[in-house]
Each structure stands twice: as structure tokens, then as C-alpha cells.
Amino acid sequence: MIHEAAGRRFVFWVFLIGVLLVTMTRGDLAAMLTQTLQEFRGFDETCLSCHRNTAWLFYLLQNAFSLLSQLFFLGPDAGALSVATPWGFADAARHNQLAVLIMAYYGHRLVFSLPIYWLACHLFRQTWMRLAYVLAMLALLGGWPALMVNLLFQTAQLFVDWPPSYYLFPHPILNFDWAALGFVHLLALALIRNHDRLTWAAPAYAAFGQVMMDNLGLVTGIAFFLAVWGKGERKRALSVLFLSGLSSGLVLATFVLFGHMNMEQEGVRAATGLSGFDAVRAWLGHYWESIGKYNFLWLNVTIANLVSVIFWPVMVGTVMGLLSRPLYHDDNKPLRALALPAVAFSFSLFLAMFKSGLGSDMGRQALPLASLLLPLSWYLSAQLVKTRPAA
């Protein structure tokens, strides 16, 4: 039991340190350091505070770290009763200010990733299985080793004119992307724990998801709808979908009311002066003309880029599933819990074809889907070796 507990702690710290490395590697650390040294405080380029809102967690951590820092000496003016001194001293307050900012900035991304580890604990019982899964997930989040990416492109180009889109793999993962990554795993956990039986769960998860990313309310509604529909409860499934849409809509309306639609300003300007369906058509029309139509004009590249992002998660998951069987009490429960959010997110990714820059951003926008396909393919391929001992 002691060895098992130590193993769990080891895997957890591997995950924590690995994700911190990913958040910095794919989080523009060099630019972040430069900006902090230049007194930059807003982080508007990653939309910290808007309708893709992660500010609540950022500021919570920032205030907690600042409060803890009150135990330190941050200069005589930080407290009462200071006296004059002829000697200089190190500017600890400045160092602390930068440390708090950087820790909160990358720390809140780290917190968003925790559901990935929690799901791993539910899916795998043995320490070595969890470690193998965590390492595979870190490789996925980090963009995979160069040899694997090169092998994919080299092999694909033997058959077709495959685009070598290296930009997909080091593409910065933004604050709301980390929120989406953690949230789809939180949805899988909710379905494993049968939260779809609870009336309040779907609208609550939908509202929470909508706070952080445009499509997460929709993803929640579809995932819970499919879960309830699959149990033959057709009327309740429709009510779940309606309540999820209602709670998501209320959150979105709140952002509109308080003017936090920062990342939609171009579309809002296109719809200014119009009302009803005319405003919606103008808003969507702007994104279709400026971005969306190119996803279809270059459809072969769009599809190839999606395949490039999900290829290794599926392959690695399949191979690991053939080598080991991550048995849960009921094999169908984790399969259902992983598949439904994956289907729901795929639908939202299809809708993004009409208004989002998937040509350049597929590497981050499809990442939540890829992160679900890794354990899903693991479990699916494990069904082929059911006679193996449970891991």
C-alpha cells in the first residue's frame, strides 16, 4: 500500500511538472518574460478577461500568491514604522511582483489541466499504467517528438501531396484552450459518475463551460443529451438540451450586456445598426467572408491538418490498448463517457468551419478532441484483448 501511494504521488508530480513545461513551452514564455519586464499587465492578446473568461482563476491565484507574499520583506514602505537608511537594498518587491504574475499566469493554466489527471486516475488502476498514460498525454500536449511528426509527414507524402504543417504542433495553447482541455475531461468524469441522471448537472456544467469558451456550453448540451437519449429517455434528453442551451445563452447574454465580447468585435461592428436575423446574418457573414470560406476552399488542407493532429493520439492509444487492458468495473461506462464529449466536440469543430481560422489554428482548436481520442482509442483497442489480465 505504501509503494502504491508513493507511485501515485510520483505520477502526479510527473504530470504536474510536465504540464508546467508544456504551458511555458507552448505559452510564449519568452514573450511573457519580456512583457512582464516592460510593465505589461493586461494580457489582452490571450483574452484573459472576455467572453472566453479565465480571469476568475488567474486573479484568484494572483491574490492568493500576493497574500502569501505578505510574509516576506518587500521593502520598508510595505509596512508601517519604516525608518530612513543610508544603505541600499535589493528590490525584493519588484522580483516578487514578477514572480506572482508569472506563477498566476502559468499556474491557472496548470489548474485547468488537473481534470486530465483525475480522469487518468479513474481510467487506470496500476501506477505503471497511469505513468504510461500521463507520458503519452504530455507528448500529445507538447506537440509530440519531432521524429514522430517527421515520420507522419514523410509517410503521408509517399501517397499524396500531404501538407507538412509543422505549425500545428508548437502552436501556442491559450488560456481558454487550457480551460477547454480540462473541461472536456471534466465532462467525461461527470458521465462516468452518472451526473447525467441529475437534473441540475447539464445546465450547471453548460453555464460553467460557457464562461470559459464559446463552444463548451454547446458541447455540454450535446454530450448530456446523447447520454440521456442513449438510455431511452427521449423527453428528458430534449429537456436537458433545452436547459443547457438556456443556461449557456444566459451566460453569453451577460457577456454581451457588460461588453466583454472582446474577440467578436469585428463581427459586432458588421452587425451594428441591424436587428434580429439581419444582425445574425451580418455577424456570421463577416466571419464567413474573412475566414470561414477558406476552410472549404482549402478543404483538402483542412482535413489533412485535422488528421495530422489526431493521428498520433489514435495510433499511440491503439498500440497501448493492444499491449494492456485498462479494465474499469464496466467497460462500457468509460467508453461512453469518453465518446460522447468527443462526438459533441467534433460537432462544435464542424461549426467552427464556418467562422473560425482552422487553417492556421487547427493545432490548438482540435487539441481537446485529440486529448479525448487518446484514451478512447486505448479503451477501444483494449476490447480486442479482453482475455488479458486486467491492469
Side-chain angles (χ1 to χ4, degrees), residues 287-342:
Y287 291 110
W288 169 257
E289 287 297 327
S290 60
I291 302 175
K293 68 180 182 181
Y294 297 104
N295 294 325
F296 292 91
L297 290 174
W298 304 328
L299 186 60
N300 56 337
V301 175
T302 303
I303 294 173
N305 284 351
L306 177 60
V307 173
S308 294
V309 171
I310 67 174
F311 177 81
W312 281 119
V314 172
M315 287 300 296
V316 170
T318 299
V319 170
M320 294 304 296
L322 293 174
L323 295 176
S324 56
R325 185 176 179 226
L327 181 66
Y328 196 78
H329 298 301
D330 175 6
D331 280 349
N332 291 325
K333 181 174 285 190
L335 282 173
R336 166 178 164 272
L338 291 165
L340 298 186

Side-chain angles (χ1 to χ4, degrees), residues 15 19 54 56-57 108-120 133 137 141 173-190 205 208-209 212-213 216 219-220 337-338 341 345 364 367-369 371-372:
F15 174 81
V19 171
T54 61
W56 56 275
L57 183 54
H108 87 291
R109 299 177 175 200
L110 188 62
V111 172
F112 281 133
S113 73
L114 287 178
I116 299 174
Y117 176 77
W118 297 338
L119 183 60
Y133 178 76
M137 186 62 71
L141 296 176
I173 307 174
L174 305 179
N175 301 320
F176 42 80
D177 297 321
W178 282 106
L181 275 164
F183 186 79
V184 295
H185 287 78
L186 195 64
L187 277 184
L189 280 168
Y205 279 107
F208 181 50
M212 298 180 292
M213 187 63 177
L216 295 182
V219 170
T220 302
L338 291 165
F345 195 89
R364 68 172 184 82
L367 203 55
L369 173 61
S371 69
L372 289 173

Side-chain angles (χ1 to χ4, degrees), residues 6-243:
R8 285 199 302 269
R9 287 193 295 269
F10 173 73
V11 174
F12 174 73
W13 283 108
V14 168
F15 174 81
L16 210 61
I17 294 170
V19 171
L20 184 58
L21 281 172
V22 173
T23 62
M24 292 184 170
T25 302
R26 298 187 67 176
D28 289 338
L29 177 61
M32 170 66 180
L33 292 176
T34 300
Q35 290 167 345
T36 54
L37 291 172
Q38 293 174 348
E39 302 288 343
F40 188 79
R41 292 292 178 268
F43 303 108
D44 291 333
E45 84 288 357
T46 53
C47 199
L48 183 65
S49 178
C50 66
H51 69 291
R52 299 176 182 177
N53 191 292
T54 61
W56 56 275
L57 183 54
F58 170 81
Y59 290 120
L60 180 65
L61 290 180
Q62 186 183 45
N63 290 331
F65 295 150
S66 296
L67 183 62
L68 184 61
S69 297
Q70 299 309 305
L71 297 173
F72 309 159
F73 180 79
L74 302 177
D77 295 333
L81 307 177
S82 63
V83 298
T85 176
W87 302 292
F89 48 85
D91 189 1
R94 172 63 171 158
H95 297 306
N96 177 261
Q97 184 182 42
L98 293 177
V100 166
L101 186 62
I102 291 172
M103 289 173 65
Y105 186 64
Y106 291 107
H108 87 291
R109 299 177 175 200
L110 188 62
V111 172
F112 281 133
S113 73
L114 287 178
I116 299 174
Y117 176 77
W118 297 338
L119 183 60
C121 292
H122 276 74
L123 296 179
F124 307 101
R125 293 186 300 191
Q126 288 190 353
T127 298
W128 74 270
M129 287 284 290
R130 289 181 185 174
L131 180 60
Y133 178 76
V134 163
L135 292 176
M137 186 62 71
L138 289 176
L140 186 158
L141 296 176
W144 302 104
L147 177 60
M148 296 174 69
V149 178
N150 292 339
L151 179 62
L152 168 63
F153 290 152
Q154 286 280 4
T155 304
Q157 288 182 350
L158 294 175
F159 304 97
V160 293
D161 186 18
W162 198 269
S165 305
Y166 283 108
Y167 57 83
L168 297 171
F169 301 97
H171 197 295
I173 307 174
L174 305 179
N175 301 320
F176 42 80
D177 297 321
W178 282 106
L181 275 164
F183 186 79
V184 295
H185 287 78
L186 195 64
L187 277 184
L189 280 168
L191 295 177
I192 284 178
R193 295 182 174 182
N194 296 315
H195 285 187
D196 51 298
R197 294 178 179 174
L198 305 174
T199 304
W200 58 266
Y205 279 107
F208 181 50
Q210 190 66 51
V211 165
M212 298 180 292
M213 187 63 177
D214 310 47
N215 64 333
L216 295 182
L218 175 67
V219 170
T220 302
I222 294 175
F224 273 82
F225 167 78
L226 292 174
V228 177
W229 185 278
K231 295 178 179 179
E233 302 176 46
R234 305 297 171 81
K235 289 185 178 179
R236 195 167 77 86
L238 292 173
S239 68
V240 162
L241 189 62
F242 172 77
L243 290 174

